[in-house]
């Protein structure tokens, strides 16, 4: 595939829909009528499996970024609508609750909830924790994906190496190497990280875009294990997360008012 070939909905030159090991497209025209009793049994079994899968919607992952202010981040989630982002070198963390991002920082020895603007003032505008958006994981636009035929294991998950042509938010073109996987656990993490956390941060900071890249990966049922030197998954686990980790520890405050109160003004 020409790496400069634009990606269009419904067209996938690099990932054929259904192929055999020899590369020949296969189509099945044979149909088998399943007995009603077996069909009902299968339906009940699938329902049970789907319910069980939906319950296992919690997890925890650690990844590295290309931002020197937040080189390592720990991300935990309880479904798409509740997630948390911690950085070992920041005295604060970010919560995404029902599409809105909040900051929690230690002030005077107690956890204080605030909006992202207040957290940015407290940590300094250069803190990457309040500037993380979808571009942390995916670029603004994917223009071409080309399979290299190489496999790579990242964080214990097997993936496939691609040559990726992409554009940043300024319209500049780039080419990078990325590792993608169809692993269900990583796709679940990506949905919570991009669809929940980074989108909530983007809304809080007024950063838009990246929808094309997100939709393209979703259409291909792929998740990112590594993207150039800007993102790399280090570990991931599916595990129950306490609900309290995703709740605001206090009523949100305006940090400016609090500082004025402390200074007597």
């Amino acid at each position: 595939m020409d790496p400069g070939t634009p990606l269009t909905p419904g067209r996938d030159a690099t990932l054929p829909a259904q192929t055999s090991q020899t590369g020949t497209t296969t189509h099945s025209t044979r149909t088998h009528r399943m007995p009603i009793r077996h069909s009902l049994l299968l339906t009940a079994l699938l329902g049970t499996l789907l319910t069980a899968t939906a319950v296992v919607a919690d997890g925890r992952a650690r990844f590295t970024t290309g931002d020197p202010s937040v080189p390592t981040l720990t991300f935990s989630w309880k479904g798409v609508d509740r997630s948390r982002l911690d950085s070992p070198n920041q005295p604060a963390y970010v919560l995404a609750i029902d599409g809105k991002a909040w900051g929690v920082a230690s002030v005077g020895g107690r956890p204080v909830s605030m909006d992202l603007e207040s957290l940015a003032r407290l940590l300094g505008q250069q803190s990457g924790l309040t500037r993380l958006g979808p571009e942390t994981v995916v670029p603004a636009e994917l223009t071409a994906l080309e399979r290299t035929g190489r496999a790579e294991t990242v964080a214990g998950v097997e993936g496939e190496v691609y040559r990726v042509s992409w554009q940043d938010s300024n319209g500049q073109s780039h080419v990078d190497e990325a590792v993608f996987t169809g692993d269900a656990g990583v796709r679940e993490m990506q949905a919570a990280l991009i669809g929940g956390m980074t989108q909530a941060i983007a809304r809080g900071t007024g950063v838009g875009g990246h929808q094309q890249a997100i939709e393209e990966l979703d259409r291909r049922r792929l998740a990112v294990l590594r993207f150039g030197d800007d993102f790399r998954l280090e570990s991931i686990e599916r595990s129950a997360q306490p609900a309290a980790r995703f709740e605001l520890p206090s009523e949100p405050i305006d940090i400016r008012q609090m500082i004025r109160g402390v200074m007597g003004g």
Side-chain angles (χ1 to χ4, degrees):
M1 168 179 168
D2 181 356
T5 303
L7 297 171
T8 55
R11 178 173 177 231
D12 192 339
T14 59
L15 290 180
Q18 294 291 331
T19 58
S20 67
Q21 292 183 350
T22 60
T24 303
T25 303
T26 60
H27 302 277
S28 175
T29 57
R30 296 181 61 188
T31 60
H32 300 274
R33 185 176 300 276
M34 182 179 292
I36 294 177
R37 180 180 176 184
H38 289 177
S39 178
L40 291 174
L41 180 60
L42 180 60
T43 301
L45 178 60
L46 286 175
T48 303
L49 290 175
L50 289 173
T51 301
T53 302
V55 171
V56 187
D58 302 8
R60 187 181 181 93
R62 183 171 58 87
F63 58 87
T64 55
T65 77
D67 190 331
S69 70
V70 282
T72 303
L73 289 164
T74 299
F75 177 66
S76 49
W77 68 96
K78 197 172 187 65
V80 175
D81 296 329
R82 289 184 175 259
S83 55
R84 173 171 167 161
L85 204 53
D86 293 85
S87 176
N89 62 340
Q90 296 280 359
Y93 58 90
V94 176
L95 287 173
I97 303 173
D98 298 329
K100 183 172 177 57
W102 299 94
V104 179
S106 178
V107 179
R110 64 188 181 91
V112 177
S113 308
M114 61 195 75
D115 58 32
L116 284 186
E117 185 179 356
S118 293
L119 184 63
R121 283 195 176 92
L122 190 67
L123 298 180
Q125 294 295 334
Q126 297 306 310
S127 171
L129 191 60
T130 59
R131 294 184 288 105
L132 287 172
E135 69 275 5
T136 305
V137 187
V138 294
E141 182 177 351
L142 295 171
T143 54
L145 274 70
E146 180 184 4
R147 282 173 137 166
T148 66
R150 292 186 288 121
E152 183 175 322
T153 299
V154 180
V157 181
E158 186 175 338
E160 185 173 0
V161 181
Y162 284 74
R163 185 172 182 266
V164 183
S165 300
W166 58 278
Q167 287 188 348
D168 60 29
S169 54
N170 296 319
Q172 297 295 314
S173 297
H174 307 267
V175 177
D176 258 314
E177 205 175 71
V179 182
F180 298 118
T181 182
D183 180 84
V186 182
R187 291 187 65 226
E188 180 182 283
M189 183 275 292
Q190 181 171 276
L193 178 59
I194 300 180
M197 174 60 73
T198 63
Q199 291 281 41
I201 292 177
R203 279 190 289 270
T205 55
V207 177
H210 303 85
Q211 198 60 36
Q212 183 271 351
I214 296 169
E215 290 177 354
E216 184 62 30
L217 289 179
D218 188 58
R219 183 180 72 84
R220 293 168 178 259
R221 301 179 67 81
L222 292 176
V224 183
L225 289 173
R226 175 175 68 80
F227 200 104
D229 297 323
D230 296 323
F231 176 87
R232 181 183 180 90
L233 185 67
E234 297 294 340
S235 65
I236 183 170
E237 64 179 39
R238 276 181 165 181
S239 58
Q241 300 293 309
R245 280 182 52 79
F246 308 95
E247 297 174 355
L248 292 175
S250 64
E251 287 294 322
I253 64 156
D254 187 325
I255 194 70
R256 291 166 296 186
Q257 291 182 356
M258 187 181 76
I259 292 174
R260 283 197 295 267
V262 170
M263 298 181 66

